């Protein structure tokens, strides 16, 4: 169950992975005991999937895994560093302040450098995490520096088909586009989307990538090659997942946004958009997804002069980071958008 759950997680099929990994945790606890390395591994995997599903309890299994691994391996071990990194990405992290969250990511980077040396794929992963931190601090030059270093390191050790490069390339493209470095930003968007189509066309990260690009600068949406790639992405997903699959539908929406933005360059017009399930939808297991996506989406809507309404599920505010979630809603209002009621919660038709 553990192995199969990991496979479904890596494919982005988080609902199936959650069920398998929940069963794996129960089996490991019974067969291997409450403080075994095997249980810690299952707990860590289970927590990352819960985070991908934006479940409020996602931090608990990761914290339990961290305690077990520290007891078995000590504080300076690669598995401890990995668990700490996962803790900094869970949807319901116990860290309530941005600077605490940023400090944990810096701690993981320092620990990985101590364990592995200055160059290693895990070090690159932490450099990427700190690049996101710098972006959220609006330190664009530092963000670009860290992201460039992370991309070069991952390519050096794992080649150019490494799936984790997708998020890194798109993030660097966003950083450069906000710094008005258009040609390189557009090239990075194309490279990231091409890689996503090649290595994980059925993964939610492809859809998240399209959404991020759709919220981009006006210069980006005039890129014909990028629009062609977006069309290819939607066609591939509709073929592999079916035209009615949720990810294919969301990717189609992102393509519509790109095409509408491109058309708005040629003629004046007004477009009204609605977004459900605020303060955020979970298409990525990283905690910074919510903050970065909100910032990028609102920036894109404002640049293109698109009015929008965000519909809120109140249940999503009931978490340890409630102040941050409320702040994301305030960001919608500050950007001149409206908020609406999407009921307290909604049923999940893909779960029992």
């Amino acid at each position: 169950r553990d192995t199969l759950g990991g496979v479904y997680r890596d494919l982005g099929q988080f609902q199936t992975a959650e069920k398998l990994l929940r069963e794996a945790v129960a089996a490991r606890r019974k067969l291997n005991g409450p403080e075994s390395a095997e249980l810690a591994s299952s707990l860590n995997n289970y927590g990352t999937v819960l985070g991908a599903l934006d479940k409020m309890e996602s931090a608990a299994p990761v914290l339990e895994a961290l305690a077990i691994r520290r007891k078995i391996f000590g504080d300076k071990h690669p598995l401890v560093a990995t668990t700490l990194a996962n803790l900094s990405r869970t949807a319901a992290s116990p860290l309530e302040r941005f600077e605490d969250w940023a400090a944990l990511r810096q701690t993981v980077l320092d620990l990985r450098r101590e364990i592995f040396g200055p160059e290693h794929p895990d070090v690159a992963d932490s450099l990427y995490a700190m690049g996101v931190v710098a972006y959220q601090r609006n330190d664009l030059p530092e963000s670009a520096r860290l992201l460039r270093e992370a991309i070069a390191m991952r390519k050096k050790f794992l080649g150019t088909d490494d799936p984790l490069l997708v998020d890194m390339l798109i993030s660097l493209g966003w950083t450069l586009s906000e710094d008005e470095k258009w040609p390189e930003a557009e090239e990075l968007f194309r490279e990231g989307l091409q890689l996503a189509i090649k290595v994980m066309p059925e993964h939610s990260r492809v859809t998240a990538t399209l959404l991020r690009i759709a919220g981009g600068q006006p210069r980006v949406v005039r890129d014909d090659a990028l629009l062609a790639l977006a069309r290819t992405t939607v066609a591939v997903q509709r073929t592999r997942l079916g035209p009615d699959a949720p990810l294919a539908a969301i990717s189609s929406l992102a393509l519509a946004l790109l095409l509408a933005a491109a058309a708005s360059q040629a003629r004046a017009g007004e477009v009204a958009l609605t977004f459900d399930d605020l303060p955020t939808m979970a298409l990525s297991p990283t905690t910074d997804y919510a903050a970065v996506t909100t910032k990028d989406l609102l920036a894109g809507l404002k640049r293109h002069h698109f009015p929008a309404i965000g519909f809120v599920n109140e249940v999503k505010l009931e978490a340890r980071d409630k102040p941050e979630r409320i702040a994301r809603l305030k960001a919608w209002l500050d950007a001149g958008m409206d908020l609406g009621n999407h009921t307290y919660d909604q049923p999940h038709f893909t779960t029992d």
Side-chain angles (χ1 to χ4, degrees), residues 167-345:
D167 289 342
M168 296 181 182
L169 291 164
I170 298 301
S171 294
L172 179 56
W174 257 101
T175 297
L176 295 178
S177 70
E178 292 213 0
D179 208 18
E180 298 189 5
K181 297 177 179 177
W182 305 112
E184 188 180 0
E186 292 168 353
E187 182 179 345
L188 287 160
F189 284 137
R190 289 194 298 271
E191 184 181 355
L193 192 51
Q194 283 176 323
L195 179 59
I197 296 169
K198 180 179 181 181
V199 301
M200 51 181 186
E202 300 167 17
H203 198 288
S204 59
R205 278 182 179 161
V206 179
T207 300
T209 297
L210 267 181
L211 285 171
R212 292 196 69 191
I213 294 173
Q217 309 275 0
R219 173 71 176 270
V220 172
V221 298
R222 293 205 298 266
D223 186 301
D224 291 338
L226 192 59
L227 290 173
L229 278 172
R231 287 190 175 95
T232 300
T233 301
V234 172
V236 169
Q237 285 195 333
R238 287 171 65 87
T239 299
R240 296 200 180 191
L241 301 175
D244 297 326
L247 285 179
I250 297 172
S251 292
S252 297
L253 170 62
L255 175 59
L257 287 172
L258 279 168
L259 295 174
S264 71
Q265 304 298 314
R267 58 181 176 80
E270 293 185 357
V271 178
L273 302 171
T274 64
F275 296 85
D276 293 351
D277 303 332
L278 266 62
T280 187
M281 276 185 60
L283 288 176
S284 170
T286 58
T287 51
D288 51 277
Y289 172 82
V292 171
T293 300
T294 298
K295 177 181 177 182
D296 291 350
L297 178 60
L298 292 175
L301 291 171
K302 289 178 67 177
R303 289 187 188 98
H304 299 309
H305 306 290
F306 286 174
I309 302 173
F311 288 98
V312 182
N313 284 136
E314 188 180 349
V315 68
K316 291 193 172 186
L317 299 177
E318 302 304 325
R320 289 193 179 100
D321 61 341
K322 184 174 182 178
E324 284 75 13
R325 295 182 179 222
I326 292 175
R328 288 181 207 128
L329 297 181
K330 185 176 183 297
W332 278 75
L333 299 175
D334 291 344
M337 310 299 166
D338 292 322
L339 293 177
N341 178 20
H342 198 42
T343 74
Y344 178 79
D345 198 2

